[in-house]
Amino acid sequence: MIYKLYGTTYQSVDINFDAKAMNEVGFRRNREASFSEDELESRFEQIEVRELVAEAEGDVQTETEQAMLNSLEAALTKALSALPDGGVAVIENESGHDYPKPRQEIKNVIVEGENRLRFEYTVSPALRVALYSARS
């Protein structure tokens, strides 16, 4: 399960990566579970922190951005698969401080004698996910 800190409470969230949203790298609270900030240290032990990045390149802006977001989601899903039973993942990036955002670079290329745009997307800063196992 994925958690994100809201105030002094970690609340469970669902992945919500959408190229058409204002906050493309998003998480939506699902209110399935929560625990206080103090409980994190007492209930769980940190295994590792992963920094996830993604990139994509293409001819259509929204499709390229969504492909980059899909790649980031796949990296997050892979990280979650490494969690032991009873483990949790915590999104460590803080909104308004170091939150990941898509970065776009546009290049002019010539294809068959015509000018075309080529879009390159990356996410910066990296999405930091801390993986925790349940304490014995």
Side-chain angles (χ1 to χ4, degrees):
M1 189 169 286
I2 307 171
Y3 288 87
K4 191 169 182 303
L5 184 64
Y6 292 94
T8 60
T9 305
Y10 286 99
Q11 297 185 23
S12 59
V13 294
D14 293 324
I15 300 169
N16 186 28
F17 295 176
D18 185 1
K20 296 176 184 168
M22 284 188 70
N23 189 9
E24 297 91 343
V25 180
F27 296 91
R28 187 179 324 117
R29 283 188 265 196
N30 60 21
R31 306 202 189 279
E32 289 179 13
S34 66
F35 54 88
S36 72
E37 195 171 11
D38 297 333
E39 288 181 78
L40 181 65
E41 295 296 320
S42 64
R43 290 179 54 190
F44 301 99
E45 180 178 6
Q46 188 177 62
I47 304 169
E48 68 177 302
V49 176
R50 295 196 184 180
E51 292 193 355
L52 308 177
V53 293
E55 57 185 38
E57 187 176 323
D59 297 327
V60 180
Q61 184 176 4
T62 56
E63 289 176 9
T64 305
E65 185 178 11
Q66 190 62 54
M68 184 269 308
L69 292 170
N70 292 345
S71 177
L72 184 62
E73 185 173 350
L76 178 55
T77 301
K78 183 178 179 183
L80 295 175
S81 70
L83 282 174
D85 288 342
V88 297
V90 174
I91 304 302
E92 291 200 331
N93 301 84
E94 297 177 31
S95 298
H97 178 64
D98 64 346
Y99 206 74
K101 293 202 63 73
R103 307 294 179 198
Q104 171 185 284
E105 186 176 326
I106 303 172
K107 294 181 180 179
N108 288 316
V109 295
I110 298 174
V111 177
E112 297 177 9
E114 294 184 12
N115 284 331
R116 300 277 186 208
L117 294 178
R118 188 84 180 150
F119 299 94
E120 294 179 5
Y121 274 91
T122 58
V123 64
S124 178
L127 177 62
R128 282 190 330 280
V129 180
L131 304 178
Y132 290 84
S133 64
R135 288 193 185 269
S136 304

